[in-house]
Structures are given as structure tokens and as C-alpha cells.
């Protein structure tokens, strides 16, 4: 099998070796995935529905363990780590979902601050930082509002701010533009690009939107029936 | 700045759980209070009858019986001797035979009540020998023989009370574990977001532990207060009862044991709930993620 490598440089943020995923023995959702994502690279992941995009992302943000194979994040073998250490490693990963996954009973401020609160930081320590980030995503007027009172685009920007608050080393976005309009979708991806350039964050965005991928002209990984395929137009292959 | 709790405030499920835990705490506290009260009453009764003897004299000759009573009074360890009048004997037999039946219709024995010093020993053999020397027919009935049955009954009562409290605690653990698992599944969205935000299992478990600790302590206070009211009502109701039943019923005092039971109820409920929640959350999270 070929090994897919995305991004320049030798420093690898994410490395998958022979990774398979099998939820219930009925068949493999992912088969023999070999992949390297270079540190600071900006990548798209695409493929038809049911191809295994979300499953691959779940493995990367450590919500699931692979059935076989090895996953290394920031040079650490995740299968050999204890649950507590995995939780700490997760703090270096920001995740954005199509359906936002905000906590409706918390304000926009509290949702964004959640990763800091989980770490045990006091609100007084991070207040300015959270407000600045909400301003950066254009929500300075929505700080104390709860998700049900926000529009879809605003909720997605809160979710993005939550994913970015800790300046993650890896940002994973699963169809982040799926529930927002065209313009908002572009704005969101531009935020990711800015983050990538400013902080060197490794970014992987799963999307169906080929037009979006072309517009941003970044390496593309294509999944089909659980197999990672090379894309001649956008992917790099070694 | 006040932060919103990460687990939303209680819903209808928690109100139902509060009721169930309160009921369990009420039953546990009431079992313990009744067991303790009965034990105290029976212990007091046992202590009272420990040194008592009845001498049943099968002779109508009251003068002879008085001589016997004087002789018993001289025996070592005898504190008090009292030859009962016919009215006193009738009063003793009335609960068994009813009123109005005895007067003149039955030949009643003469009874001598003896109070002996339990530290000196049982004077029954000396009394029997004295009756024989005075050619009096009769028998000596040492009440201490009954206390053995009472002690046995108390042991059984204590065991039953402990079994009841243990069973109720086990039920509470099962209920809390079930409720925790249900809450965990109902709040799966929150658990997932917390996980993704870097929370470890212990952090998530602590949220549920805190929630169930507060709920169980409040429910425990409610249950303990209800148990206190119920036991007070029981004591009040039976306080009107005369005779031996009144002596054997729980004592109407709030002694240190009863206070300890009432204070311990919410604390034990809280600890049980917290532990059950912690174990359930940590084991469930391993299955979930």
C-alpha cells in the first residue's frame, strides 16, 4: 500500500500505520490507512457519505481506538497511553463539528472557556483571552448569550472559538461548513487558514464541498469505502 | 464571577430519584430508631427483672406465708420481700383472666415478691430449702430466667434491624447506580464535549458525584426528619397503653444513639450515593469511549 503524506517538512504531527477500524465485526469502516500529516500543514479530507471520514477523524481526536494499526500524535503512540494521558493529549487537539456540539445551558463565553475550565483555570485568569477570541470570530456582542439564541453561523463560530482557545497543535473539523451558508462557510475556513498561518496549527478539514477545496487549494485526502486514495489534483504522494 | 454548573440543574427524573432516596432513608432510619428504642426499652426491663423472684405459696394460711416472708428477708442477698395482697394478685392475673372473674370464684395462691441483689447470687435454692423446712408447698420462680429469652429476642432484633438497614443501603446503591447510568446516557452530549475538551474520567465522575452527593444528603435529611416524626408518633400512640406492653415499647427519649442515627442518615446516604456515582461513571465511561 502507498503511504500518503500531506504537507511539507519532516516534522510529523499525525502518523497512522496500517490503521483499521471495525465497529461491530460486520466489516471494516477503515482499511489499512497509512498517513502522515506534517506539522503546520493544512489539509482537506473528502469522500462520499459513508466513506469513513468521520470515523477517521474520531480516531484522530481520540474518541475511538483503532481495531488494528498504530496511531502516533505528536510522536506519541496513543494505544500505549493510559486513559488519563489520552485526556491530556486531547487538550492539544481542537475539534469542530457540523452540528456544533455546544452546551445549551452555558453562555457563549462559558462554552468557549470550557477547555480552560476543565484544566482547572479560574475564570478571572482567562476572561480577557476568551473575550478577545470571541471578538476575533465576530461575536463580541454575543458573549453572554446561550446557543439556542444564536444563529447557526454564530453557533459555529462559538464552536470554533472553543476549539481554538487553547491554541491547539492539531485542529480537526468535521464538515464545519455543512450547517452554515456559503459566505459563512468561506469565512470559517479563512479563520482556519489564519490560525494555521499564525500559530502553525496542523489543520484537517473533512468536507464534501469540492469547490471549497479548490478555492483554498490545499492538499486533499480522499476516502472511498474505507480506503485512503490519492488525489491527482490536490494530494501529494510519496 | 459565578459559573454555570456543567451538569444542568435537575429535571423530573431527579425529583423522582429524590423521592426514592428519601423513602429509603426514611425506612432505614426508622428501622434503626425502632430497633434502638426497643433495645433500650427491653434492656431497661431486663435490668429491672434481673433480681426479682416470685414465691408461689400453695396454702391459704396467710400467717404462715408471712412467717415465710420474714424468713426469706433474713437470707443473704435479699433486699426486699413483699407478701402481695389478694387485690394485688388479682391485678396481676387480670390481663390473662379478665376482670370480675376472680373475686371469690378461684382459690388464689399467695404470692411473695422478692427483690434480691444480683451481685450476691440467686437465692432460689435457699428459699426452696426454707419452704421445705417450714413444710410449705410452693415454688420459686426466678424472673432472671425470662431475661435470657429477652436477650435472645434482642439479638435477633438487632440482626433483623442490621439486615434491614443493609438491604436498604444496597437498594440505595442500586438505585443511585441506575440513576447515574441513566443520567450519564441522558447527558451523553455533555460527557462527549467534556471529553473532547480534555476532561479525564475522574473530572467527569466528580461532576456526577457532587450532584448525587447533594441530592442524597438533602434526601437523607428529609428521610431522617420523617423517621423522627414517625417514631415520635409511634411512641405517642403507645404511650397511652398501660401494663407490660408500655414497658416494652420504644422509649420516648431522644438519646445520643437516636441523635447519632438521625445525623448519620444523610451523611451515609451522601457517601453511598457519591461512591455509587463514581464507580458507575468511571466504569461506564470506559464502555462509552
Amino acid at each position: 500500500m502507498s503511504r500518503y503524506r500531506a504537507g511539507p517538512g519532516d516534522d510529523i504531527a499525525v502518523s497512522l500505520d496500517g490503521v483499521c477500524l471495525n465497529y461491530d465485526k460486520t466489516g471494516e469502516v477503515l482499511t489499512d490507512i497509512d498517513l502522515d500529516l506534517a506539522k503546520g500543514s493544512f489539509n482537506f479530507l473528502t469522500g462520499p457519505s459513508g466513506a469513513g471520514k468521520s470515523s477517521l477523524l474520531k480516531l484522530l481526536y481520540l474518541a475511538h481506538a483503532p481495531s488494528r494499526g498504530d496511531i502516533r500524535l505528536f510522536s506519541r503512540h496513543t494505544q500505549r497511553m493510559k486513559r488519563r494521558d489520552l485526556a491530556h493529549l486531547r487538550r492539544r487537539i481542537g475539534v469542530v463539528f457540523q452540528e456544533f456540539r455546544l452546551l445549551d445551558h452555558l453562555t457563549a463565553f462559558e462554552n468557549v472557556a470550557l477547555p480552560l475550565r476543565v484544566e482547572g483555570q479560574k475564570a478571572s485568569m482567562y476572561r480577557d483571552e476568551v473575550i478577545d477570541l470571541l471578538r476575533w470570530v465576530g461575536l463580541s456582542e454575543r458573549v453572554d448569550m446561550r446557543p439556542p439564541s444564536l444563529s447557526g453561523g454564530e453557533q459555529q463560530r462559538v464552536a470554533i472559538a472553543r476549539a481554538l482557545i487553547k491554541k491547539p497543535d492539531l485542529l480537526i473539523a468535521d464538515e464545519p461548513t455543512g450547517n452554515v451558508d456559503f459566505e459563512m462557510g468561506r469565512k470559517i475556513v479563512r479563520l482556519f487558514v489564519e490560525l494555521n498561518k499564525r500559530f502553525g496549527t496542523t489543520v484537517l478539514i473533512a468536507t464534501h464541498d469540492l469547490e471549497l477545496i479548490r478555492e483554498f487549494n490545499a492538499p486533499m485526502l480522499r476516502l472511498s469505502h474505507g480506503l485512503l486514495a490519492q488525489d491527482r489534483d490536490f494530494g501529494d504522494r510519496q | 464571577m459565578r459559573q454555570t454548573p456543567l451538569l444542568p440543574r435537575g429535571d423530573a427524573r431527579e425529583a423522582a430519584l429524590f423521592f426514592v432516596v428519601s423513602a429509603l432513608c426514611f425506612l432505614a432510619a426508622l428501622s434503626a430508631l425502632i430497633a434502638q428504642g426497643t433495645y433500650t426499652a427491653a434492656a431497661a426491663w431486663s435490668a429491672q427483672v434481673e433480681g426479682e423472684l416470685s414465691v408461689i405459696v400453695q396454702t391459704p394460711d396467710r400467717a404462715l406465708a408471712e412467717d415465710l416472708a420474714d424468713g426469706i428477708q433474713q437470707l443473704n442477698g435479699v433486699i426486699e420481700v413483699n407478701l402481695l395482697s389478694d387485690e394485688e394478685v388479682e391485678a396481676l392475673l387480670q390481663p390473662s383472666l379478665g376482670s370480675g372473674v376472680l373475686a371469690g370464684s378461684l382459690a388464689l395462691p399467695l404470692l411473695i415478691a422478692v427483690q434480691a441483689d444480683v451481685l450476691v447470687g440467686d437465692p432460689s435454692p435457699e428459699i426452696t430449702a426454707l419452704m421445705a423446712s417450714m413444710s410449705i408447698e410452693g415454688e420459686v420462680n426466678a424472673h432472671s430466667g425470662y431475661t435470657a429469652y429477652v436477650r435472645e429476642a434482642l439479638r435477633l432484633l438487632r440482626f433483623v434491624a442490621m439486615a434491614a438497614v443493609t438491604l436498604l443501603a444496597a437498594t440505595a446503591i442500586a438505585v443511585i447506580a441506575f440513576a447515574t447510568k441513566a443520567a450519564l446516557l441522558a447527558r451523553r452530549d455533555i460527557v462527549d464535549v467534556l471529553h473532547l475538551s480534555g476532561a479525564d474520567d475522574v473530572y467527569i465522575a466528580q461532576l456526577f458525584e457532587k450532584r448525587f452527593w447533594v441530592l442524597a444528603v438533602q434526601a437523607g435529611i428529609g428521610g431522617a426528619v420523617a423517621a423522627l416524626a414517625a417514631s415520635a408518633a409511634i411512641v405517642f400512640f403507645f404511650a397511652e397503653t398501660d401494663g407490660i406492653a408500655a414497658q416494652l415499647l420504644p422509649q420516648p427519649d431522644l438519646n445520643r444513639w437516636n441523635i447519632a442515627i438521625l445525623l448519620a442518615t444523610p451523611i451515609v446516604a451522601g457517601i453511598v450515593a457519591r461512591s455509587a456515582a463514581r464507580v458507575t461513571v468511571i466504569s461506564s465511561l470506559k464502555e462509552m469511549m
Side-chain angles (χ1 to χ4, degrees):
Chain A
M1 289 293 290
S2 302
R3 182 171 193 87
Y4 294 93
R5 183 194 171 100
D10 295 331
D11 222 352
I12 302 299
V14 176
S15 180
L16 278 70
D17 290 306
V19 166
C20 299
L21 182 63
N22 188 346
Y23 285 118
D24 54 6
K25 315 274 182 201
T26 53
E28 285 186 336
V29 180
L30 296 172
T31 306
D32 286 328
I33 305 287
D34 293 310
L35 168 70
D36 290 328
L37 295 183
K39 261 186 191 167
S41 62
F42 190 102
N43 315 279
F44 285 106
L45 172 67
T46 192
S49 295
K53 296 191 298 296
S54 294
S55 296
L56 179 59
L57 297 187
K58 274 184 186 172
L59 295 180
L60 296 181
Y61 59 74
L62 307 173
H64 233 289
S67 313
R68 271 188 291 130
D70 184 37
I71 297 176
R72 268 170 294 153
L73 291 181
F74 321 115
S75 307
R76 300 188 67 184
H77 292 268
T78 58
Q79 279 95 308
R80 297 179 200 164
M81 293 172 72
K82 292 177 182 165
R83 285 180 65 83
R84 188 185 172 84
D85 295 331
L86 285 175
H88 286 253
L89 189 62
R90 230 177 257 125
R91 293 176 186 178
R92 297 176 65 182
I93 305 168
V95 192
V96 178
F97 298 94
Q98 180 177 1
E99 70 277 20
F100 322 132
R101 297 206 193 174
L102 298 173
L103 301 185
D104 285 350
H105 65 293
L106 303 185
T107 62
F109 176 90
E110 288 171 327
N111 268 288
V112 173
L114 191 61
L116 303 173
R117 188 170 168 183
V118 159
E119 270 189 349
Q121 292 192 35
K122 297 268 177 269
S124 55
M125 288 166 63
Y126 55 68
R127 183 167 176 78
D128 293 345
E129 194 183 346
V130 173
I131 303 261
D132 283 348
L133 188 54
L134 280 166
R135 189 177 299 124
W136 188 62
V137 295
L139 292 173
S140 52
E141 305 296 316
R142 302 280 191 270
V143 172
D144 292 321
M145 291 179 78
R146 290 189 162 74
S149 358
L150 299 173
S151 70
E154 288 170 334
Q155 288 190 52
Q156 190 59 296
R157 280 181 282 159
V158 173
I160 289 167
R162 182 183 63 192
L164 304 187
I165 187 68
K166 289 204 63 210
K167 299 182 183 65
D169 295 314
L170 172 64
L171 179 75
I172 295 169
D174 192 0
E175 303 282 0
T177 59
N179 273 342
V180 294
D181 61 37
F182 181 86
E183 262 316 303
M184 183 53 67
R186 268 58 189 167
K187 269 188 190 172
I188 285 168
V189 178
R190 275 196 287 275
L191 280 177
F192 293 158
V193 171
E194 193 180 335
L195 178 82
N196 170 255
K197 286 185 177 156
R198 254 170 88 169
F199 300 108
T201 304
T202 308
V203 178
L204 179 61
I205 303 171
T207 181
H208 279 107
D209 190 344
L210 291 175
E211 202 178 316
L212 181 87
I213 297 171
R214 282 193 195 94
E215 195 179 320
F216 285 88
N217 193 27
M220 179 176 73
L221 307 162
R222 189 196 296 274
L223 264 175
S224 180
H225 301 295
L227 292 161
L228 198 57
Q230 181 190 22
D231 187 277
R232 291 179 192 284
D233 299 327
F234 305 102
D236 296 331
R237 183 177 181 178
Q238 282 190 338
Chain B
M1 191 175 129
R2 188 172 161 75
Q3 290 184 314
T4 310
L6 291 178
L7 284 181
R9 295 276 176 216
D11 51 18
R13 273 190 311 268
E14 282 193 11
L17 181 65
F18 182 88
F19 174 77
V20 171
V21 176
S22 288
L24 289 170
C25 289
F26 164 73
L27 292 172
L30 191 63
S31 304
L33 283 176
I34 288 176
Q36 167 60 24
T38 309
Y39 183 82
T40 306
W45 180 80
S46 298
Q48 186 191 330
V49 302
E50 194 71 36
E52 285 183 357
L53 299 95
S54 298
V55 181
I56 303 160
V57 183
Q58 300 291 357
T59 173
D61 188 344
R62 191 165 184 87
L64 191 59
E66 280 173 359
D67 289 344
L68 176 62
D70 290 342
I72 293 170
Q73 184 70 71
Q74 306 305 315
L75 294 175
N76 186 30
V78 172
I79 299 167
E80 191 182 345
V81 178
N82 179 27
L83 176 62
L84 270 59
S85 65
D86 289 344
E87 290 74 24
E88 285 172 318
V89 174
E90 271 194 51
L92 277 177
L93 294 173
Q94 207 175 51
S96 305
L97 301 176
S99 57
V101 177
L102 300 171
S105 59
L106 285 173
L108 294 178
L110 293 169
L111 278 177
I112 301 171
V114 179
Q115 182 68 51
D117 185 348
V118 288
L119 298 175
V120 175
D122 183 6
S124 300
E126 286 93 331
I127 295 173
T128 306
L130 182 62
M131 284 197 294
S133 69
M134 294 172 73
S135 303
I136 298 173
E137 278 188 40
E139 64 178 274
V140 181
N141 193 345
H143 295 186
S144 58
Y146 303 121
T147 59
Y149 298 115
V150 174
R151 281 203 197 93
E152 195 58 40
L154 286 179
R155 251 197 300 275
L156 186 64
L157 177 74
R158 200 182 287 177
F159 174 77
V160 170
M162 280 170 64
V165 171
T166 307
L167 190 64
L168 290 164
T171 309
I173 289 171
V175 167
I176 297 285
F178 183 77
T180 307
K181 195 142 191 169
L184 204 58
L185 291 173
R187 297 297 177 191
R188 173 86 197 235
D189 54 336
I190 296 175
V191 172
D192 284 347
V193 169
L194 288 171
H195 255 296
L196 292 174
S197 301
D200 59 24
D201 294 353
V202 172
Y203 183 91
I204 296 170
Q206 279 171 348
L207 297 176
F208 285 88
E209 278 177 56
K210 194 176 168 190
R211 172 60 54 87
F212 285 108
W213 161 265
V214 171
L215 182 144
V217 168
Q218 289 173 342
I221 291 170
V225 169
L228 177 65
S231 59
I234 291 168
V235 168
F236 177 78
F237 177 75
F238 284 109
E240 303 299 317
T241 311
D242 292 329
I244 199 160
Q247 292 176 35
L248 286 170
L249 283 167
Q251 300 297 293
D253 65 332
L254 197 60
N255 62 35
R256 63 196 167 100
W257 287 110
N258 291 345
I259 292 170
I261 288 167
L262 293 170
L263 289 178
T265 300
I267 296 167
V268 171
I271 291 169
V272 164
R274 189 172 191 148
S275 310
R278 184 184 182 86
V279 171
T280 308
V281 171
I282 288 182
S283 62
S284 301
L285 286 176
K286 283 179 184 161
E287 290 167 18
M288 283 163 70
M289 295 185 92

